[in-house]
């Protein structure tokens, strides 16, 4: 059989299948940082979308300005910071991260033909939840989430808000019925948390669990009461 006209023109990125990580404007930017570090530590490729609202939250919570023109430097500074605000706590490798501007509706993740593993929205604001549930696609984050659902790929929505209104609860039910994993950013204490980073890593670990990505971010329950106190 004669090869097709594009047989010898395969892109060097053709085999790349990243996770799209969307960061919305909800409080909880340390959760996003921990998920991103976990993906990169697991050798996963990442396509990053940082919403306009989330840049204000990031600036407020960390003092870091996220700029499209300097995204790699800003992302490195962000991911190196611990949940307690201490800089240079981590040493992230950003070799396989691609950034897409939130307003770029022609970006790769805006199309179902763009190959991705799925999408993680961490944290997810109630406005973001509503936009995805209603299919508004007002920016790239919402559009990528809508594409993820229509293509039947894994979508994890780590909603970060309390209390939740009835309208938001209905939106979350709609996302669940559409196939998304609704994962409230709710830390647990059975893993033996002794530091704020432990609580953040627990939520990040549960997000990665939902995505099927291996990690060692928290101590898993093994069926024995008091296990979290062993070794203290």
């Amino acid at each position: 059989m004669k090869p097709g006209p594009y047989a010898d023109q395969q892109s060097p990125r053709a085999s790349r299948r990243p996770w799209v990580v969307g960061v919305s404007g909800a409080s909880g930017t340390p959760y996003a940082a921990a998920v991103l570090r976990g993906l990169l530590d697991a050798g996963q490729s990442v396509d990053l979308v940082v919403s306009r609202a989330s840049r204000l939250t990031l600036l407020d919570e960390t003092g870091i300005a996220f700029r499209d023109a300097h995204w790699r430097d800003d992302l490195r500074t962000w991911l190196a910071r611990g949940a307690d605000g201490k800089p240079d706590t981590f040493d992230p490798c950003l070799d396989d991260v691609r950034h897409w501007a939130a307003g770029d509706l022609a970006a790769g993740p805006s199309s179902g033909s763009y190959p991705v593993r799925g999408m993680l929205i961490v944290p997810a604001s109630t406005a973001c939840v509503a936009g995805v549930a209603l299919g508004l696609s007002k920016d790239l984050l919402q559009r990528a989430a809508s594409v993820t659902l229509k293509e039947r790929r894994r979508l994890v929505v780590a909603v970060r808000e309390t209390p939740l209104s009835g309208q938001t609860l209905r939106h979350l039910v709609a996302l669940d019925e559409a196939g998304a994993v609704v994962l409230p950013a709710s830390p647990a204490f059975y893993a033996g948390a002794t530091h704020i980073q432990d609580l953040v890593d627990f939520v990040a670990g549960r997000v990665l669990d939902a995505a099927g990505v291996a990690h060692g971010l928290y101590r898993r329950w093994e069926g024995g009461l008091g296990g979290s106190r062993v070794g203290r």
Side-chain angles (χ1 to χ4, degrees):
M1 180 181 297
K2 183 179 179 180
Y6 302 109
D8 296 324
Q9 299 181 29
Q10 188 175 31
S11 166
R13 302 178 70 93
S15 61
R16 183 178 182 271
R17 292 186 64 228
W19 285 97
V20 179
V21 176
V23 186
S24 81
S27 176
T29 54
Y31 292 132
V35 166
L36 287 164
R37 287 193 299 265
L39 289 170
L40 297 174
D41 288 347
Q44 301 290 312
S45 303
V46 171
D47 274 23
L48 178 64
V49 181
V50 180
S51 76
R52 291 187 175 92
S54 69
R55 298 171 195 227
L56 297 176
T57 306
L58 181 64
L59 182 62
D60 182 57
E61 293 184 345
T62 69
I64 298 170
F66 192 92
R67 303 158 295 175
D68 287 338
H70 304 280
W71 71 267
R72 189 173 292 276
D73 291 337
D74 296 339
L75 180 62
R76 181 175 289 105
T77 301
W78 177 23
L79 298 193
R81 182 181 297 260
D84 59 359
K86 183 179 178 181
D88 302 321
T89 300
F90 302 98
D91 184 20
C93 177
L94 307 183
D95 289 347
D96 205 359
V97 179
R98 186 171 185 179
H99 167 258
W100 299 96
D104 185 2
L105 292 178
S110 69
S111 172
S113 67
Y114 183 77
V116 302
R117 297 184 184 279
M119 183 173 183
L120 315 175
I121 305 179
V122 188
S125 66
T126 55
C128 173
V129 166
V132 177
L134 297 174
L136 298 183
S137 296
K138 73 170 188 176
D139 61 9
L140 179 59
L141 194 159
Q142 291 185 13
R143 172 59 185 168
S146 295
V147 168
T148 302
L149 288 175
K150 80 179 183 68
E151 297 293 330
R152 301 296 191 267
R153 295 166 180 159
R154 180 60 55 94
L155 174 65
V156 181
V157 180
V159 59
R160 216 305 309 161
E161 185 58 273
T162 190
L164 294 171
S165 70
Q167 191 64 55
T168 296
L169 290 169
R170 286 187 283 274
H171 289 152
L172 292 172
V173 169
L175 289 178
D176 176 79
E177 291 175 343
V181 175
V182 175
L183 196 153
S186 302
F189 294 84
Y190 63 77
T194 59
H195 190 276
I196 187 174
Q197 189 68 55
D198 298 326
L199 297 175
V200 168
D201 284 348
F202 179 87
V203 172
R206 296 299 286 150
V207 170
L208 296 179
D209 286 344
V213 176
H215 66 87
L217 288 176
Y218 68 88
R219 184 202 307 266
R220 296 186 181 277
W221 177 254
E222 296 180 348
L225 294 177
S228 65
R229 298 190 297 274
V230 175
R232 288 191 182 180

